[in-house]
Amino acid sequence: MAPTPTTPVEATLAYAEEFHDEDEVLRAARRRGMEVGAVPILTGGGAALCFLATAISARSVVEVGTGCGVSGLWLLRGMRPDGTLTSVDVEPEHQRLARQSFAEAGFSGSRVRLIGGRALDVLPRLADGGYDLVFCDAAKQEYGDYLAEAVRLLRPGGIVAFDNALWHNRVADPAQRDPETVAIRELGKLVKGDERLRALMMPLGDGLLAAIKTAN
């Protein structure tokens, strides 16, 4: 259960998060993720992914960090009916549970390509400019490397998005210097400084940083 908001800002953020609903399929996938330690994207961030995929009529999407399928479900629901989600994760059990979630939601096996392995070993094998959207929610210290791969993978007009961009309210606090916080803070600088990208920070869930690729 989420903590009770104590300030107007907290109440507003809670209202924005709770504006979106999850059905039983998503709730079941979320429960499975929490049970095995694959903490999924929060509801507001998931709804934003669905919105982004819908806005660009995404057909080919890469997901770094399958978890147990919560973010994948949000993405698939926003993608074109003939779209394919390519999802990468190092945990076979997580991907097995994700496949169960996708089947429960009615998505055929042809809509999802699950690849086991470390993202930085898998992503270089994917085609340049072949994807509409890349979503990253895996090793935080590798976010900068994921960004470099994502820019290569995306077509012009495609979107890259990162979960946990506010990292439990630590990123905004300069006193926080743990490796994950520093890596996510550095990611923000990389995105803002890349002339090929137009960025947006969304304070939904634990923060979703998204950027449109405007040029090669």
Side-chain angles (χ1 to χ4, degrees), residues 43-153:
T43 304
L49 291 179
C50 184
F51 179 91
L52 293 173
T54 303
I56 62 173
S57 191
R59 183 176 183 179
S60 297
V61 175
V62 174
E63 177 183 48
V64 180
T66 308
C68 292
V70 173
S71 52
L73 288 170
W74 281 111
L75 287 164
L76 285 163
R77 290 177 175 183
M79 294 166 61
R80 289 170 41 167
D82 60 345
T84 300
L85 172 68
T86 298
S87 190
V88 183
D89 203 293
V90 296
E91 295 290 345
E93 177 64 7
H94 294 176
Q95 290 197 320
R96 184 188 70 79
L97 293 171
R99 193 179 297 279
Q100 178 182 340
S101 298
F102 300 146
E104 289 175 354
F107 293 108
S108 69
S110 63
R111 294 288 311 278
V112 182
R113 178 173 61 153
L114 298 180
I115 303 176
R118 182 171 172 266
L120 294 179
D121 295 330
V122 175
L123 295 178
R125 305 202 302 261
L126 303 182
D128 292 11
Y131 297 90
D132 303 302
L133 193 154
V134 177
F135 170 61
C136 303
D137 186 14
K140 310 311 172 191
Q141 293 183 58
E142 296 181 351
Y143 266 16
D145 295 319
Y146 298 162
L147 175 65
E149 289 293 334
V151 172
R152 178 184 63 80
L153 293 172

Side-chain angles (χ1 to χ4, degrees), residues 126-199:
L126 303 182
D128 292 11
Y131 297 90
D132 303 302
L133 193 154
V134 177
F135 170 61
C136 303
D137 186 14
K140 310 311 172 191
Q141 293 183 58
E142 296 181 351
Y143 266 16
D145 295 319
Y146 298 162
L147 175 65
E149 289 293 334
V151 172
R152 178 184 63 80
L153 293 172
L154 288 170
R155 62 166 173 82
I159 294 173
V160 59
F162 292 85
D163 191 26
N164 304 118
L166 298 176
W167 197 231
H168 317 306
N169 300 313
R170 299 175 69 85
V171 172
D173 181 358
Q176 302 297 328
R177 302 292 300 172
D178 59 278
E180 289 79 12
T181 300
V182 170
I184 296 170
R185 197 177 286 136
E186 181 62 26
L187 170 74
K189 295 177 183 177
L190 289 172
V191 171
K192 289 177 65 177
D194 194 321
E195 295 182 353
R196 299 167 296 178
L197 301 174
R198 185 163 297 145

